[in-house]
């Protein structure tokens, strides 16, 4: 549980603590956040896993298949929102940000190396995310 903040500075510190805990603990409610992009016609929310939080840079990191609709949305309009809800403390955290995509370079390489083999497999389907399939075996190369 979190003590109630007494100042705006304490609110910020509490938010950073919650995000840091969410990035570090798979059971924390803030590990799964809503990421909202705009597809040109409407907001487009989805749940993502908070992989890392860098408080000094105010940076949240999540991963995505490069073919996902959220990536296309961000390429057109990088303005996004994050939403988290902590049911025990009944705290909602809403953040507005400008997204940056990384498909190569040092950050991308570090994040790829941190992934488990299973997670890497999740990003290796021949079909893009949200493709309609007839069975679980579709989309995997032989």
């Amino acid at each position: 549980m979190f003590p109630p903040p007494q100042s705006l500075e304490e609110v910020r510190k509490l938010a950073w603590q919650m995000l840091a805990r969410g990035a570090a603990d798979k059971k924390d409610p803030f590990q799964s956040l809503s990421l909202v992009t705009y597809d040109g016609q409407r907001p487009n929310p989805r749940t993502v896993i908070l992989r890392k939080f860098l408080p000094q840079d105010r940076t949240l990191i999540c991963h995505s298949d490069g073919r996902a609709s959220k990536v296309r949305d961000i390429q057109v309009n990088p303005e996004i929102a994050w939403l988290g809800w902590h049911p025990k403390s009944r705290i909602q955290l809403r953040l507005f940000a400008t997204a940056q995509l990384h498909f190569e370079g040092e950050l991308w390489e570090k994040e790829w190396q941190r992934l488990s083999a299973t997670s890497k497999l999740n990003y290796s389907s021949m079909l893009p995310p949200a493709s309609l399939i007839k069975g679980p075996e579709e989309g995997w190369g032989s």
Side-chain angles (χ1 to χ4, degrees):
M1 206 54 132
F2 301 98
Q6 302 300 312
S7 68
L8 287 176
E9 179 61 21
E10 287 184 18
V11 169
R12 185 190 60 77
K13 285 181 182 178
L14 176 60
W16 282 189
Q17 288 174 344
M18 295 178 84
L19 290 168
R21 188 179 293 177
D25 181 355
K26 291 182 179 192
K27 294 182 181 183
D28 190 87
F30 274 55
Q31 177 142 106
S32 298
L33 298 175
S34 294
L35 173 67
V36 184
T37 60
Y38 184 72
D39 69 7
Q41 296 180 348
R42 62 185 172 268
N44 196 359
R46 78 278 287 147
T47 302
V48 297
I49 302 300
L50 178 59
R51 301 291 183 158
K52 192 182 286 186
F53 173 61
L54 307 172
Q56 67 279 11
D57 301 328
R58 296 181 179 181
T59 298
L60 285 72
I61 295 176
C62 68
H63 299 162
S64 178
D65 185 307
R67 303 167 294 176
S69 63
K70 65 180 152 291
V71 171
R72 289 190 305 273
D73 293 351
I74 290 168
Q75 287 171 327
V76 173
N77 181 357
E79 300 304 311
I80 61 168
W82 295 88
L83 177 65
W85 169 249
H86 197 288
K88 208 174 212 180
S89 62
R90 302 184 56 81
I91 292 175
Q92 174 180 275
L93 185 59
R94 251 181 0 153
L95 305 166
F96 299 92
T98 302
Q100 293 180 347
L101 299 170
H102 298 269
F103 295 111
E104 57 186 25
E106 185 179 341
L107 178 61
W108 178 89
E109 185 66 35
K110 283 182 181 179
E111 290 301 309
W112 183 254
Q113 293 306 320
R114 283 177 10 113
L115 287 177
S116 68
T118 302
S119 291
K120 287 178 181 178
L121 186 62
N122 290 335
Y123 296 112
S124 300
S125 170
M126 294 176 65
L127 298 173
S131 295
L132 296 177
I133 60 173
K134 294 178 184 168
E137 69 287 346
E138 281 191 65
W140 298 107
S142 51

